[in-house]
Amino acid sequence: MNWVAHELRLLVRSKLALSALTLLLVLSALAVLSGMREVERQQQTIARLEGLQQQELAAQARKYTHGGDAGSAAYYTFHGTWDAPSPTAFLALGLRDAAPYVLRVRALALQAQLHEGESFNPELALAGRFDFAFVLVYLAPLFLIALLYDLVSGERRSGRLSTLLAMPGAGRGLWLRRAGLRTALVFGCLVLPVLAGAPASGTAIEALGIVLLVTAGYLALWSGLALIVATRSGSSAANAMALMGCWAVLTLILPTLANAVLARAVPVHQGVELMLAQRQAVHGAWDLPPEATMEKFFRTHPEWRDTSPLPSGFHWKWYYAFQQLGDESAAPQVAAYRDGLLARQRWTSRLGWLLPGVGVQAALHRQADTDLQAQLAYQDRIAEFHARLRAFYYPYLFNDVRFGPQDFASQPHFSPSSQPAEVPLEQLLGLLLMGAAVLALGVDAAGRVRPSAG
Amino acid sequence: MSVALHIAREEWRLLRRDRVAVLGLVLLLLLTAVATFTAWEQRRTTDTERARHQGQVDHEFETQPDRHPHRMVHYGHFVFRPLNPLAAFDPGVDAYTGHTLFLEGHRQNSANFGDVRQSSLLLRFGQLTPAFVLQVLAPLLLIFVGHAALARERESGTLRVLLAQGVRPRQIVAGKLLALCGVAAAALLPALLALLWIGAATPAPAGLAIAMAAGYGVWLLIWAVGIVGVSAWFGRGRDALVALLALWAVSVVLVPRLAPEIAASVLALPTRFETDIAVARDLAALGDSHDPDDPYFAGFKKKVLAQYGVSRVEDLPVNYKGLLGMEGERLTSALFERYANASFERQAAQLRRVDAFALISPVIALRRLSMAAAGTDLQNYRRFVEQAERHRYRMVQELNRLQAEKLSFAGDRSSRDSRISHAHWHGVADFRYQAAPPAEALRRAAPAAGVLLLWLVVLAGLLAVATRRLGRVTR
């Protein structure tokens, strides 16, 4: 292990290398800290809203239970739902800045409530997050490039290359040791803050392992690429240019191009259409004879068929029946909308097999449970809760049961998901394969350095 | 000047032979072309789609059957945010804000179905638009092409020869700058053609397109001056390249992400959840129109009775329930407006914090200018939301007025049984978004333009210093 000390000494003497590594460590630490702060802020928001919601419920209970009318209690009572950040969310915050992670719903038609937006500043979101995923995907390759681009050409221009190659044990091993050490240091600078932040965030060991593997795979790919380029006979500037070109193409141009193609190939218009269809169904119901609406409702919900007939004038059970029918009539549009969204997500994951930056984003955000799928899963949990809410109120409405304070207190409560995030095995495998392949090519290229080239 | 031109011509000749430079330029031109085409296509389909939806909902509103006016208040209306023609060049926040608002009585809904919630994470890598190519990629090309402009001459000793021949350092620097500006112009040209095309194919105001073109011109000029300056400063091309790439990564990639993060954490926005609850509480504090003993609405009733000189609501010539609806809507809308303004003001304050970072990273100023000129910044979105809210208020009050005037108090039994003719729905819901006048957009872009010019002046000063130093170190 003598060479490690030797190479480290060399590295420490280079001001550029040392400052690059320090900067990377600082940036990674900043990203992790800012991610943890954001997660903490979201948790505090959820806790604060929980308290606020309790107060609201208490106020509602006083107001709407003395009438004994379940219909108006259901109409006026909003219920809080929330989607707490996962223990890995601080690394990749994903869509959590644009999609709501707290939402109030009531027993009325769900589709009109489910797609409500969160208040956020679009110009701030436009820039994208500064989190660990960003530091890893965009910045880490730049640092690797800065540390490796003149690995060979630097020695050549200083006239040491022939001497180095003539020494025993030189050749491939020398370049691999140097590149390996530098890559390892980059890896260390990147993951040290993550390792420090993970226990405080309660990240599971497996999740942490996945994050480290993703990081390692991505860095292997970039150091392999840097080796391929740096061991060519080009000048330092040409090598730097070639590597920066690769970086721009892989992390900026191709994903952006892919986004444009995907937006065209999988258009998602059904969101608006489901809103429009649902509204027509809900409001059209006011003009239909109530008996016809009830008949339609009983067809899919026969358990309420034999309850007392509709009185003349307004009755809540008719109102809630057409609300539910509105949701049901929009079901095909809802399904089409979700299919479109999931298709986009699937294609993005597939692109991760070709574009390492996309692969890393997909893997980290899946592990962090902050991607489109996580957003849909939250909507599913809201829908499931909403169904329980309906099921809770219907016996009161259809059987004309008095609704008292006791009943108010026994309303269903939203329960957040306790399922750990799904492991992004496919993306991880893709990244590791890609990293290993490119690294192998780099190792191969390192063996072909000749003293007097170019 | 002819010396400078001569040097520039030499430099171009060299660049023509350099495969990397040619390849880079071709790649950039290709990207601009693809970006223009897809962004234009995207804007066109988006806009047609929104116009189609707007037509559909307008039609649906007018063809609603005879109804109680209050049912129409709840039936509500959708408005779709039309896209400014220049959005094809820089779509700005369009993908991040919802593009449709549901307008109904007693409620202010959020804009829904923003693309960012509907797209996988790819949108976070950026959208392929001419603005993205010019903001992010064009400077990179200029760095690759220009980093060695002077450093190369110094490294190879030709600079000394040139100076010995009596060429002034100023002329050499001017020549190199001219050469790089030529490349910058070539990079800008397709984007300008795209702007011209957009301007010709749509009623986009020429002033805005020109402001935008000028902004991007200054942006590339900033880079040309900066690159030549760095190249003059460093003895070796390699060092100049590394320094420039670091500058680019920090100013174009890092700071524009870091600054919003800082702004958002210093000035957080309240969630919708909280705002909704706060609004509901304030409303409850105002009074309950259903409660006959409510002090506020008792006072309102007294006032109305006094105004018409009657003693009972039954004797009013208009339907009191309609008047009550109008008063309720007036109160709630004032509240919504207060909360919405507070939120937008806070967002504007966040952006002011971000703008301060333009002194480190001029791309922030460029983005502000570009989005303001393209009509795709937060301010334009706010304009849409506020116009939609005013429209909502007008529409709901019109329907409430119909209830007050077309239905008698006695005849207004329930919203299901008492109806008025559907002929009344005509023209109530029509919404026409009024885009901001170009002068306003230009005014908003002015500070950002000032920051860009400041950058240009400062960098030109630094280039002058570097030029003087160039003469000294080679002597």
Side-chain angles (χ1 to χ4, degrees):
Chain A
M1 292 313 267
N2 200 16
W3 66 270
V4 176
H6 173 67
E7 291 290 340
L8 268 179
R9 224 174 10 251
L10 277 181
L11 205 61
V12 169
R13 252 187 268 153
S14 153
K15 252 193 295 181
L16 174 84
L18 204 61
S19 48
L21 286 170
T22 318
L23 182 62
L24 183 61
L25 184 66
V26 170
L27 288 175
S28 174
L30 270 179
V32 166
L33 273 176
S34 122
M36 286 172 69
R37 229 185 109 161
E38 177 60 24
V39 162
E40 197 188 303
R41 207 181 59 77
Q42 294 189 357
Q43 275 160 347
Q44 281 168 358
T45 305
I46 290 171
R48 191 175 69 239
L49 296 184
E50 173 102 57
L52 199 60
Q53 176 64 22
Q54 290 311 322
Q55 288 173 21
E56 283 297 297
L57 278 181
Q60 300 280 343
R62 281 193 300 279
K63 224 163 161 182
Y64 294 109
T65 50
H66 33 238
D69 179 7
S72 57
Y75 185 86
Y76 289 105
T77 311
F78 283 94
H79 300 263
T81 73
W82 63 93
D83 180 29
S86 80
T88 330
F90 71 103
L91 294 174
L93 292 152
L95 293 175
R96 290 185 69 92
D97 57 350
Y101 56 86
V102 282
L103 193 73
R104 296 200 308 164
V105 291
R106 49 180 171 166
L108 267 54
L110 178 66
Q111 291 304 326
Q113 308 176 61
L114 200 54
H115 306 280
E116 191 80 357
E118 185 51 90
S119 36
F120 67 99
N121 186 336
E123 271 195 52
L124 296 192
L126 179 62
R129 280 261 171 209
F130 179 78
D131 53 13
F132 176 74
F134 166 71
V135 172
L136 177 60
V137 170
Y138 289 92
L139 301 183
L142 289 178
F143 282 89
L144 264 184
I145 291 172
L147 289 172
L148 296 179
Y149 78 102
D150 64 346
L151 189 68
V152 177
S153 52
E155 301 293 350
R156 183 180 296 128
R157 62 177 310 121
S158 64
R160 280 193 305 260
L161 185 60
S162 322
T163 328
L164 268 178
L165 287 176
M167 285 195 329
R172 185 198 305 260
L174 174 73
W175 310 123
L176 291 187
R177 282 203 301 271
R178 272 195 187 166
L181 182 70
R182 290 171 187 202
T183 309
L185 286 173
V186 166
F187 180 77
C189 290
L190 275 172
V191 303
L192 266 180
V194 176
L195 290 176
S201 308
T203 313
I205 294 292
E206 300 82 51
L208 198 59
I210 300 274
V211 172
L212 297 189
L213 277 177
V214 166
T215 310
Y218 192 58
L219 290 186
L221 181 128
W222 276 104
S223 64
L225 206 56
L227 269 176
I228 295 174
V229 174
T231 52
R232 285 184 340 165
S233 54
S235 69
S236 294
N239 289 348
M241 235 143 70
L243 282 170
M244 277 301 283
C246 289
W247 177 83
V249 168
L250 282 179
T251 58
L252 290 175
I253 299 175
L254 287 181
T256 312
L257 211 62
N259 179 44
V261 172
L262 201 57
R264 277 179 72 94
V266 189
V268 180
H269 314 300
Q270 299 92 335
V272 175
E273 264 137 37
L274 82 85
M275 290 288 281
L276 298 181
Q278 193 258 7
R279 177 187 62 155
Q280 288 303 62
V282 167
H283 287 273
W286 286 93
D287 301 308
L288 300 174
E291 290 70 26
T293 300
M294 293 318 282
E295 187 48 44
K296 201 170 162 206
F297 179 74
F298 292 145
R299 243 175 276 152
T300 41
H301 303 84
E303 65 273 29
W304 305 113
R305 187 180 279 277
D306 298 325
T307 50
S308 58
L310 219 50
S312 70
F314 180 85
H315 194 282
W316 281 113
K317 67 182 176 189
W318 164 71
Y319 181 81
Y320 287 101
F322 78 65
Q323 294 280 331
Q324 176 150 10
L325 285 175
D327 276 348
E328 285 169 7
S329 72
Q333 281 91 340
V334 172
Y337 182 58
R338 292 179 62 108
D339 285 350
L341 294 185
L342 285 170
R344 281 187 174 180
Q345 176 70 34
R346 255 194 323 277
W347 275 107
T348 305
S349 294
R350 278 179 207 151
L351 274 174
W353 283 85
L354 293 175
L355 302 175
V358 176
V360 169
Q361 293 267 32
L364 285 183
H365 285 95
R366 185 79 296 273
Q367 184 63 53
D369 220 8
T370 53
D371 53 3
L372 195 66
Q373 249 168 293
Q375 194 191 318
L376 290 179
Y378 176 43
Q379 291 191 350
D380 284 346
R381 286 195 296 280
I382 298 176
E384 181 266 334
F385 167 67
H386 190 263
R388 276 200 288 144
L389 206 57
R390 272 181 171 150
F392 169 79
Y393 273 112
Y394 281 178
Y396 294 97
L397 298 169
F398 284 90
N399 300 328
D400 294 309
V401 179
R402 244 190 94 79
F403 193 75
Q406 290 262 296
D407 304 301
F408 191 91
S410 64
Q411 288 191 72
H413 284 272
F414 177 78
S415 50
S417 149
S418 51
Q419 274 182 348
E422 178 192 321
V423 178
L425 275 183
E426 194 189 319
Q427 288 97 328
L428 180 65
L429 188 67
L431 262 175
L432 289 179
L433 279 178
M434 218 175 347
V438 178
L439 189 62
L441 289 176
V443 168
D444 181 51
R448 284 194 246 128
V449 178
R450 296 290 169 265
S452 58
Chain B
M1 204 55 225
S2 65
V3 181
L5 200 64
H6 185 73
I7 290 174
R9 212 175 297 142
E10 258 326 282
E11 186 78 9
W12 281 327
R13 216 160 52 81
L14 207 70
L15 285 177
R16 250 205 322 277
R17 268 189 280 149
D18 181 5
R19 264 187 321 172
V20 179
V22 173
L23 201 72
L25 195 59
V26 169
L27 195 69
L28 193 83
L29 299 187
L30 215 68
L31 266 171
T32 318
V34 175
T36 306
F37 187 71
T38 55
W40 167 258
E41 189 59 23
Q42 169 87 9
R43 196 210 81 88
R44 206 178 51 86
T45 49
T46 307
D47 211 39
T48 351
E49 185 126 306
R50 291 183 194 176
R52 184 173 65 77
H53 278 132
Q54 190 67 65
Q56 180 192 338
V57 293
D58 285 352
H59 175 76
E60 278 170 359
F61 191 92
E62 301 213 325
T63 50
Q64 286 303 301
D66 294 357
R67 268 207 187 136
H68 189 283
H70 196 68
R71 287 268 53 81
M72 290 305 280
V73 164
H74 281 284
Y75 176 75
H77 193 48
F78 281 87
V79 289
F80 291 84
R81 184 162 50 85
L83 265 176
N84 198 313
L86 290 177
F89 198 88
D90 184 353
V93 298
D94 180 64
Y96 289 80
T97 56
H99 60 262
T100 168
L101 264 174
F102 179 49
L103 312 178
E104 56 178 327
H106 335 310
R107 254 178 88 76
Q108 195 179 41
N109 292 306
S110 66
N112 287 341
F113 300 108
D115 273 343
V116 66
R117 280 184 69 188
Q118 302 183 0
S119 80
S120 53
L121 291 149
L122 277 177
L123 195 59
R124 290 310 174 89
F125 285 85
Q127 285 169 282
L128 187 64
T129 59
F132 171 80
V133 174
L134 289 182
Q135 287 171 6
V136 179
L137 303 179
L140 207 54
L141 175 83
L142 292 185
I143 289 174
F144 286 148
V145 168
H147 70 275
L150 283 157
R152 170 173 16 92
E153 305 280 3
R154 212 150 102 181
E155 229 171 336
S156 62
T158 41
L159 187 65
R160 205 182 289 272
V161 178
L162 278 172
L163 292 173
Q165 282 171 345
V167 183
R168 312 272 294 276
R170 203 155 39 86
Q171 291 171 319
I172 301 176
V173 170
K176 299 291 184 182
L177 186 60
L178 191 62
L180 199 54
C181 286
V183 178
L188 193 59
L189 191 67
L192 292 185
L193 287 178
L195 263 180
L196 204 67
W197 174 37
I198 293 169
T202 64
L208 292 181
I210 290 169
M212 208 152 159
Y216 283 101
V218 172
W219 166 244
L220 293 188
L221 202 56
I222 285 175
W223 277 99
V225 171
I227 290 166
V228 173
V230 169
S231 185
W233 199 272
F234 283 95
R236 289 183 299 181
R238 188 182 88 118
D239 296 342
L241 179 64
V242 171
L244 283 167
L245 288 179
L247 278 176
W248 176 85
V250 169
S251 67
V252 176
V253 181
L254 183 62
V255 176
R257 283 205 180 217
L258 205 51
E261 196 90 347
I262 292 170
S265 77
V266 174
L267 288 168
L269 281 180
T271 55
R272 232 196 125 69
F273 194 113
E274 285 161 291
T275 313
D276 283 352
I277 288 182
V279 170
R281 283 186 179 175
D282 285 0
L283 279 180
L286 277 176
D288 178 0
S289 61
H290 297 300
D291 179 2
D293 301 328
D294 182 83
Y296 180 83
F297 285 96
F300 173 72
K301 187 164 146 187
K302 219 191 268 169
K303 211 176 72 193
V304 170
L305 292 178
Q307 190 190 335
Y308 285 95
V310 291
S311 55
R312 297 186 319 150
V313 288
E314 287 81 357
D315 301 335
L316 284 170
V318 289
N319 178 1
Y320 180 67
K321 289 176 188 164
L323 295 184
L324 209 53
M326 289 178 84
E327 178 65 4
E329 198 61 47
R330 190 181 68 78
L331 294 173
T332 53
S333 297
L335 255 182
F336 295 147
E337 198 184 327
R338 214 175 71 212
Y339 278 92
N341 275 339
S343 172
F344 276 124
E345 287 309 323
R346 206 168 173 82
Q347 294 180 46
Q350 288 178 333
L351 291 185
R352 278 196 296 279
R353 299 249 168 165
V354 174
D355 282 343
F357 284 87
L359 295 173
I360 319 175
S361 165
V363 75
I364 291 175
L366 175 72
R367 281 192 184 156
R368 156 114 12 265
L369 183 148
S370 176
M371 286 195 286
T376 53
D377 59 355
L378 179 69
Q379 196 55 38
N380 273 281
Y381 171 65
R382 177 179 186 172
R383 198 181 161 82
F384 165 75
V385 170
E386 288 180 346
Q387 278 186 25
E389 168 58 20
R390 278 199 294 279
H391 177 69
R392 184 193 73 83
Y393 184 66
R394 259 200 314 272
M395 180 183 82
V396 171
Q397 291 302 57
E398 176 64 21
L399 291 166
N400 281 333
R401 201 182 52 76
L402 285 172
Q403 184 183 3
E405 292 175 357
K406 303 291 170 198
L407 283 169
S408 68
F409 189 73
D412 191 357
R413 289 180 309 279
S414 82
S415 69
R416 208 171 54 162
D417 304 326
S418 312
R419 298 171 185 235
I420 64 171
S421 157
H422 63 274
H424 292 107
W425 314 150
H426 278 279
V428 171
D430 289 345
F431 174 66
R432 285 273 162 277
Y433 173 68
Q434 293 294 325
E440 193 189 311
L442 288 178
R443 215 171 28 248
R444 234 185 12 262
V451 172
L452 284 178
L453 288 175
L454 184 71
W455 266 92
L456 190 58
V457 169
V458 170
L459 286 176
L462 289 178
L463 181 62
V465 174
T467 308
R468 223 171 326 137
R469 187 170 164 273
L470 195 65
R472 270 206 314 277
V473 280
T474 37
R475 202 160 287 148

